[in-house]
Amino acid sequence: MRICRDAGMRLVGPNCLGIVNTAASLNASFLPGTPSAGRLGLMSQSGAVAAAVIDRAEGVGLGISSFASVGNKADVSGNDMLEFWEDDPATEVIALYLESFGNPRRFGRIARRVSGKKPVLVVKSGRGGAGDRAVRSHTAAAATPDAAVDALLRASGVIREDSVRDLLDTARLLVHQPLPKGGRVAIVGNSGGPQAMTADACEQRGLSVPELSPATRDALSAGLRAAAAVGNPVDVTADGEAAELAHAIRTVLADPDVDAVLVVYTPPFGSGPVATKEAIDAASRGSGKTVLACVLGDDGLIGSRVPSYAFPEQAVHALGRAVEYAAWRSRPADVVVEVPPVHALAAREIVESELRDHTQGGWLDYPAAARLLGAYGIRVAEAVPVGGREAACAAAARLGPPVALKATGPDLVHKSDVGGVRVNLDGVEEVGRAYQEMADRLGTAMTGALVQRMAADGVEMIVGGVAHETFGPLVMAGMGGVTAELLADRAFRVPPISDADAGRMLGELRCEPLLRGYRGRPVVNTEELRAQIAGVGRLMDDIPEVAELDLNPVIVTPAGAVAVDVRVRLAPAGPRPSPFLRRLR
Amino acid sequence: MRICRDAGMRLVGPNCLGIVNTAASLNASFLPGTPSAGRLGLMSQSGAVAAAVIDRAEGVGLGISSFASVGNKADVSGNDMLEFWEDDPATEVIALYLESFGNPRRFGRIARRVSGKKPVLVVKSGRGGAGDRAVRSHTAAAATPDAAVDALLRASGVIREDSVRDLLDTARLLVHQPLPKGGRVAIVGNSGGPQAMTADACEQRGLSVPELSPATRDALSAGLRAAAAVGNPVDVTADGEAAELAHAIRTVLADPDVDAVLVVYTPPFGSGPVATKEAIDAASRGSGKTVLACVLGDDGLIGSRVPSYAFPEQAVHALGRAVEYAAWRSRPADVVVEVPPVHALAAREIVESELRDHTQGGWLDYPAAARLLGAYGIRVAEAVPVGGREAACAAAARLGPPVALKATGPDLVHKSDVGGVRVNLDGVEEVGRAYQEMADRLGTAMTGALVQRMAADGVEMIVGGVAHETFGPLVMAGMGGVTAELLADRAFRVPPISDADAGRMLGELRCEPLLRGYRGRPVVNTEELRAQIAGVGRLMDDIPEVAELDLNPVIVTPAGAVAVDVRVRLAPAGPRPSPFLRRLR
């Protein structure tokens, strides 16, 4: 590396297979042969996986523009390759096999930019690994390394695949066909069973197989035999000739309510595979729409541009990914609301003052946490900190019952698990008794308590943030309550988070119907909830010293969203530069 | 069919590819060639899929004992084929591609018997399809056709695969290798990255990759170069020769704490693919343990008995299925508790008396439902039916507050959604006011109410049953509460259900930790809960007239499990014969 740097050279590897650039007729690799020229840029951290992928790609007519086996990435990394392919006219689709991220935040920024121009597919091995068990907030515990990778890739528009088989299936659709404008699929074929399988797979994948219009059905019937089915799927029957299949393909492609056509051909019926493939190839030209085929048992390429898959689920998987990516590409640019500098400065002062007193950081007390969150527009329920039974009673009398009483103490984190929370206390004496009972039971762990007016009933959510050592800040939104926690109903994002991002996070939750008036419940104020999620994103992005943060629960009612318990832990900021400070300077 | 029946012949098809029997050198099919002889029995409802599967199987060294394309199944069905293969010495593994079930209950019985002798793999297409929207119990709404298929296959020990690619991967392990005794895997190979991927995949799949014993590590070191890693994975390094790999395989096979060995070989390193495969073949003989390989990029067969997979996740998937199937095979026989005939007769009398009065069936009132369930040992909370405000107050006074008040009426099914449930009513006047308010709001829909003493706090579960038109009875257990319902945290089984089955159903629930004392909560009485699940199974099996049944919620406390609300709908029994009546006759 030193020699290369001094000489102004780049170094690939070590521990790699080398590089290939088919446009430059360069093969500086240990591969057994030279891959065919094509439009896929391929990078792999594992030489062995790369060799297998190239071998498979060759078999299905998928050529390579350039290939780099980067091995241990002493110099050239995935980020470098992305930047190279970004402007490489020979490369239309990018595929990465990753075992690790060197600089995930930089990867995220570059991948987001590149994904806006060309599809980026990633297989990241090593999905396992638990969250950090030493942390004590729900958010930090839930943010496993894989959740962080997923959030990073999702925010960047990257197409994440679980296996290289899936990656190849998706890549060859994206290389050969235009992006679909939507998810409305017409299925055309010669055999009912496999076409029904395909329709089922579409439904499961969230693609629609809509009824065709009367005009399209009439046009289909005009060119097909009487036994043909002209609904969707369109079945030309096993006797249907290649010309009939071509007529059906052209007709559904002309329907403005069809975004993509999936041809399911069962050989050797009709005119046989050779003539049928020629007909599929010819009929699919010039429409500008996405056409792909399942020729049962036959993974390959029809003509020079229609990918064929051996089994329906492969074709449907690839089409589903293409539809999702196209939707991501066509989204309007998100506007992330900025926090007024005066508020951000106030927040910074709170953090710096705390870290002056506690140089190693630690958990903020409730009032400090509430002030910090308030600077970012996050509403936190009023709470009166009290140091003893008398003060608790006085606070309850002032707030008016019913109230909640929550034990506080530097080591009391999961306080509800140890009986440190009492709710719905209806009178002042009840508060006094509850305080005494808690103090007797928790002993010196309890140094005081908070008295809060009971929140109105609503949907319990959790919103949180965690500063991941390598991935940077992550924001979580999830359903609250112990059941939802066990069921891990939560969504992660990398900030910045726009209002639309926050809405999409909520949309990913299986419990989301609860917010929309499920079974007679009221529709609640998701606008304020989205603002809280976006606010946490802004805060996590601005203040790297916030190590973990839970708003748990956030009670969402028709009137608004308010956090009734909060936990914020500060830690001295590491080397990660604060975007907030960058903005101020 | 008539001609065949008259002649005592069987008919395959119509609309099929025909049949093959390699042992008899018979090929009466439209297949382009004759498959190689082997030990897989293959049946397909789709000729197209079958041809593709056979082509793929040929490519990976998987031969066929016999094959039937059954098409529209006018006569010969999957059930017939299962019974043929059950005693066919040429067939060791059975694979079915199904599009529909003719007689699912019969299939379940036969498949369960056959699965006890030979693995049965099934791909069932058409996972889509909603539950019956006309039904009104939670159980019936949740029991989609696919949930029913899944429960049927699971109860039968069938290995269900999502795609024929997965089916082939699993089948060739089961055909070529002995069943694993457990899920402890040793990974041996020559390249760190792919081996780490394999270990990750094992962890995700629930297979363990345990530390090797000091004795095994010493034995490994004795035959490997110094750079080799002797943990698990065992890495002989890229320079490691075939003999070293063989030494490593033999050594881990000799470790009594290893159930299966997965060899991950990255070609062309070491001694090259040919010599290495020979070494893998030789080293894996004679141990009686499961050996499989991932030779990167190479789907095939090493020697005559070690399947090789192109990518680690395929090998791990196949091994995971084999471990699950082996565990199912080695389970002790379940004992299903029978209900004493006198109680079963009492239940039958309740049902017959109701159906005399209401020949079209309908919802039972609470007392009748409670009596019916009580006959099957299912505890239901006491409830006093009342017809007006005065009676409600009297009942509340008798039971002692706090009580719950639940509106009743023939059309009040989702009564909590319309405000027909009030809980924690603390005094007699409060009950009177609540009754009046409900009656005013619900109008004639409310014909009375139930007054119940409030149940103790506990874990809320739902247990239910539904008589599926084609699949017969299904039993469901799930977490209660609106969140769990949205998250669809539930398990289904086909009765009969043993105590162990009920325990496994609970084990499948993601919320199951709540029953075991999650985060400071009490451990509850799952024994009574299991008994309720098994009781519902017995009831559904005995009384085909029970169309749908909900115990919702069942409150489970350390003291026991009690259903505090129940719904039972009767319908005149269809042609399905009642096993109960069979037992009595």
Side-chain angles (χ1 to χ4, degrees):
Chain A
M1 265 310 299
R2 194 161 42 75
I3 295 167
C4 284
R5 286 233 168 97
D6 289 348
M9 285 179 72
R10 301 302 299 269
L11 184 146
V12 177
N15 193 12
C16 75
L17 282 190
I19 61 171
V20 170
N21 186 326
T22 55
S25 298
L26 169 74
N27 182 353
S29 80
F30 296 125
L31 289 169
T34 298
S36 302
R39 285 164 283 167
L40 180 71
L42 176 68
M43 192 217 86
S44 177
Q45 234 176 306
S46 159
V49 170
V53 168
I54 288 175
D55 183 57
R56 294 270 162 141
E58 201 70 29
V60 292
L62 182 62
I64 302 290
S65 58
S66 43
F67 158 66
S69 160
V70 295
N72 294 358
K73 302 194 291 190
D75 179 14
V76 170
S77 70
N79 293 347
D80 297 313
M81 293 307 301
L82 277 179
E83 295 202 305
F84 165 66
W85 282 318
E86 181 178 8
D87 299 316
D88 174 31
T91 300
E92 291 179 14
V93 176
I94 296 165
L96 311 177
Y97 176 80
L98 300 175
E99 291 174 349
S100 64
F101 284 104
N103 183 340
R105 284 168 68 76
R106 185 155 176 265
F107 176 86
R109 280 195 305 277
I110 299 172
R112 186 171 194 143
R113 192 180 72 224
V114 178
S115 288
K117 303 176 189 169
K118 306 175 180 185
V120 177
L121 297 100
V122 166
V123 171
K124 165 73 177 64
S125 75
R127 277 191 175 261
D132 183 348
R133 280 165 197 142
V135 296
R136 297 194 291 182
S137 66
H138 287 286
T139 305
T144 60
D146 195 58
V149 169
D150 227 56
L152 183 79
L153 297 182
R154 192 185 288 265
S156 312
V158 166
I159 302 168
R160 184 178 191 181
E161 298 283 9
D162 283 331
S163 71
V164 295
R165 290 199 291 183
D166 290 343
L167 178 142
L168 281 171
D169 282 343
T170 304
R172 58 208 184 92
L173 178 61
L174 294 170
V175 159
H176 294 302
Q177 286 286 316
L179 289 178
K181 300 260 184 308
R184 298 168 302 177
V185 185
I187 298 169
V188 174
N190 69 334
S191 162
Q195 285 182 270
M197 270 174 79
T198 308
D200 277 332
C202 284
E203 189 193 319
Q204 272 199 278
R205 194 68 184 66
L207 299 171
S208 76
V209 184
E211 283 289 306
L212 298 173
S213 67
T216 298
R217 297 165 66 106
D218 288 347
L220 282 166
S221 295
L224 301 180
R225 58 192 67 211
V230 296
N232 191 5
V234 178
D235 184 357
V236 304
T237 79
D239 295 328
E241 303 280 331
E244 290 164 85
L245 196 64
H247 168 75
I249 294 169
R250 283 202 186 90
T251 307
V252 294
L253 279 171
D255 185 326
D257 295 327
V258 167
D259 301 309
V261 175
L262 206 169
V263 184
V264 181
Y265 172 61
T266 299
F269 302 112
S271 309
V274 175
T276 303
K277 287 182 183 177
E278 279 170 12
I280 294 171
D281 183 34
S284 64
R285 287 176 188 277
S287 72
K289 292 184 179 177
T290 315
V291 180
L292 71 172
C294 166
V295 175
L296 271 161
D298 188 357
D299 272 313
L301 186 62
I302 296 174
S304 61
R305 49 185 293 288
V306 179
S308 158
Y309 300 88
F311 295 104
E313 63 263 31
Q314 292 171 261
V316 171
H317 170 84
L319 183 57
R321 292 289 196 212
V323 168
E324 287 160 6
Y325 171 71
W328 182 85
R329 275 266 290 259
S330 62
R331 270 183 201 168
D334 280 343
V335 178
V336 176
V337 178
E338 298 282 333
V339 172
V342 56
H343 291 168
L345 274 171
R348 176 124 291 277
E349 270 162 25
I350 295 167
V351 168
E352 287 179 357
S353 135
E354 287 286 334
L355 285 173
R356 260 196 306 278
D357 298 344
H358 310 281
T359 51
Q360 291 312 302
W363 297 91
L364 291 185
D365 63 22
Y366 191 93
R371 281 202 312 279
L372 177 61
L373 292 161
Y376 279 81
I378 296 160
R379 274 179 66 201
V380 172
E382 190 192 353
V384 182
V386 296
R389 178 178 178 158
E390 293 308 306
C393 293
R398 185 164 72 74
L399 293 170
V403 298
L405 182 72
K406 298 174 180 176
T408 54
D411 297 318
L412 277 178
V413 176
H414 292 310
K415 52 188 176 291
S416 64
D417 292 358
V418 294
V421 176
R422 291 285 304 276
V423 296
N424 276 317
L425 298 172
D426 257 334
V428 168
E429 289 110 78
E430 217 180 325
V431 171
R433 276 197 303 276
Y435 190 99
Q436 194 60 52
E437 188 275 324
M438 260 184 214
D440 291 347
R441 188 151 35 82
L442 299 176
T444 53
M446 173 169 165
T447 57
L450 294 174
V451 182
Q452 279 186 316
R453 189 180 289 119
M454 284 303 295
D457 276 354
V459 181
E460 282 197 18
M461 302 288 297
I462 175 169
V463 176
V466 59
H468 197 284
E469 200 185 334
T470 50
F471 288 94
L474 272 186
V475 173
M476 179 178 96
M479 276 287 147
V482 67
T483 315
E485 183 190 309
L486 275 175
L487 300 192
D489 191 24
R490 43 180 87 119
F492 290 93
R493 282 293 187 290
V494 174
I497 294 173
S498 68
D499 183 66
D501 285 329
R504 282 187 286 262
M505 288 173 79
L506 296 177
E508 284 170 28
L509 300 177
R510 289 165 291 169
C511 286
E512 191 256 358
L514 283 183
L515 301 168
R516 287 190 283 107
Y518 182 72
R519 299 186 64 174
R521 285 166 183 73
V523 178
V524 299
N525 187 332
T526 47
E527 193 174 336
E528 278 200 14
L529 177 61
R530 293 196 307 271
Q532 287 203 347
I533 298 168
V536 168
R538 190 74 269 171
L539 188 155
M540 296 302 298
D541 221 9
D542 278 358
I543 310 182
E545 291 89 348
V546 175
E548 44 187 319
L549 180 166
D550 268 355
L551 314 179
N552 182 26
V554 175
I555 307 282
V556 195
T557 63
V562 58
V564 302
D565 206 353
V566 303
R567 284 203 286 253
V568 178
R569 184 168 69 81
L570 299 185
R576 176 165 76 83
S578 157
F580 169 72
L581 293 178
R582 274 207 312 277
R583 275 195 295 139
L584 288 188
R585 275 159 197 163
Chain B
M1 265 312 299
R2 193 161 43 76
I3 295 168
C4 284
R5 285 234 168 98
D6 289 349
M9 285 179 70
R10 302 301 300 267
L11 185 146
V12 177
N15 192 13
C16 75
L17 282 190
I19 60 169
V20 170
N21 185 326
T22 56
S25 297
L26 170 74
N27 181 353
S29 79
F30 296 124
L31 288 169
T34 298
S36 303
R39 287 163 282 166
L40 180 71
L42 176 69
M43 191 217 86
S44 177
Q45 232 176 307
S46 159
V49 170
V53 167
I54 288 175
D55 183 57
R56 294 271 163 139
E58 201 69 30
V60 292
L62 181 62
I64 302 290
S65 57
S66 44
F67 159 66
S69 160
V70 295
N72 294 358
K73 303 194 290 192
D75 179 13
V76 171
S77 69
N79 294 346
D80 296 314
M81 294 307 302
L82 277 179
E83 295 200 306
F84 165 65
W85 282 318
E86 181 178 8
D87 299 315
D88 174 30
T91 300
E92 292 179 13
V93 177
I94 297 165
L96 311 177
Y97 176 79
L98 300 175
E99 291 173 350
S100 64
F101 284 103
N103 184 340
R105 283 168 67 78
R106 185 157 175 263
F107 176 85
R109 281 197 304 277
I110 298 172
R112 187 171 194 141
R113 193 180 70 223
V114 178
S115 288
K117 303 176 189 169
K118 307 176 179 183
V120 177
L121 297 99
V122 167
V123 171
K124 165 74 177 64
S125 76
R127 277 189 175 263
D132 184 349
R133 280 164 197 143
V135 297
R136 296 195 290 183
S137 68
H138 287 286
T139 305
T144 60
D146 194 58
V149 169
D150 226 57
L152 183 80
L153 297 181
R154 193 185 288 265
S156 311
V158 167
I159 302 168
R160 183 178 192 181
E161 298 283 7
D162 283 330
S163 71
V164 295
R165 291 199 290 182
D166 291 343
L167 178 143
L168 281 170
D169 283 342
T170 304
R172 59 209 183 89
L173 178 61
L174 294 170
V175 159
H176 294 303
Q177 287 285 316
L179 288 178
K181 301 259 185 306
R184 297 168 302 176
V185 185
I187 298 168
V188 174
N190 69 335
S191 164
Q195 286 182 268
M197 269 173 80
T198 308
D200 277 333
C202 284
E203 187 193 322
Q204 272 198 279
R205 195 66 184 69
L207 299 171
S208 77
V209 184
E211 283 290 307
L212 298 173
S213 68
T216 299
R217 296 164 67 106
D218 289 346
L220 282 165
S221 295
L224 300 180
R225 58 194 65 212
V230 295
N232 191 5
V234 178
D235 184 357
V236 303
T237 80
D239 295 328
E241 303 280 331
E244 291 163 85
L245 197 65
H247 167 75
I249 295 168
R250 284 201 187 91
T251 307
V252 295
L253 279 172
D255 185 326
D257 294 328
V258 167
D259 300 309
V261 176
L262 205 170
V263 185
V264 181
Y265 172 62
T266 298
F269 302 112
S271 309
V274 176
T276 303
K277 286 182 184 177
E278 280 170 13
I280 294 170
D281 184 32
S284 64
R285 285 176 189 278
S287 72
K289 292 184 178 178
T290 314
V291 181
L292 70 173
C294 166
V295 176
L296 270 162
D298 188 357
D299 272 314
L301 186 62
I302 297 174
S304 62
R305 48 183 296 287
V306 179
S308 158
Y309 300 88
F311 295 105
E313 64 264 32
Q314 292 171 261
V316 171
H317 170 83
L319 183 57
R321 292 288 194 213
V323 167
E324 287 160 6
Y325 171 70
W328 182 85
R329 273 268 289 260
S330 62
R331 271 184 202 169
D334 280 342
V335 178
V336 176
V337 178
E338 298 282 334
V339 173
V342 56
H343 291 168
L345 274 172
R348 178 126 288 279
E349 270 162 26
I350 296 167
V351 168
E352 287 179 358
S353 134
E354 287 286 334
L355 285 173
R356 261 195 305 279
D357 299 344
H358 310 281
T359 51
Q360 290 313 301
W363 297 93
L364 292 185
D365 63 22
Y366 191 93
R371 282 202 312 279
L372 177 62
L373 292 161
Y376 280 82
I378 296 160
R379 275 180 63 201
V380 171
E382 190 192 354
V384 181
V386 296
R389 177 177 178 157
E390 293 309 305
C393 292
R398 185 164 71 75
L399 292 170
V403 298
L405 182 73
K406 298 172 178 177
T408 54
D411 297 318
L412 276 178
V413 175
H414 292 308
K415 53 187 175 291
S416 64
D417 293 358
V418 294
V421 176
R422 291 286 304 277
V423 296
N424 275 317
L425 297 171
D426 257 334
V428 168
E429 289 112 76
E430 217 180 328
V431 171
R433 275 196 305 275
Y435 190 99
Q436 194 60 52
E437 188 276 323
M438 259 183 213
D440 291 348
R441 191 151 34 81
L442 299 175
T444 53
M446 173 168 165
T447 57
L450 294 174
V451 182
Q452 277 186 317
R453 190 180 290 119
M454 284 303 295
D457 276 355
V459 180
E460 283 196 20
M461 303 287 297
I462 175 168
V463 176
V466 58
H468 198 285
E469 200 185 334
T470 50
F471 288 94
L474 272 185
V475 174
M476 179 178 96
M479 275 288 146
V482 67
T483 316
E485 183 189 308
L486 275 175
L487 301 192
D489 191 24
R490 44 180 87 120
F492 289 93
R493 283 293 188 289
V494 173
I497 294 174
S498 68
D499 183 66
D501 286 329
R504 281 188 286 262
M505 289 173 78
L506 297 178
E508 284 170 29
L509 300 176
R510 287 165 291 169
C511 286
E512 189 256 358
L514 282 183
L515 301 168
R516 287 189 280 109
Y518 181 71
R519 299 186 66 174
R521 285 165 182 74
V523 178
V524 299
N525 187 331
T526 47
E527 194 176 333
E528 277 201 13
L529 178 61
R530 294 197 306 270
Q532 287 203 348
I533 298 168
V536 168
R538 189 75 270 171
L539 187 154
M540 296 302 298
D541 222 9
D542 278 359
I543 309 182
E545 291 89 347
V546 174
E548 44 186 319
L549 180 166
D550 269 355
L551 315 180
N552 182 27
V554 175
I555 307 282
V556 195
T557 63
V562 57
V564 302
D565 207 352
V566 303
R567 284 202 287 252
V568 178
R569 185 168 69 83
L570 299 186
R576 176 164 76 83
S578 160
F580 169 73
L581 293 178
R582 274 207 313 275
R583 274 195 295 140
L584 288 189
R585 275 157 200 164

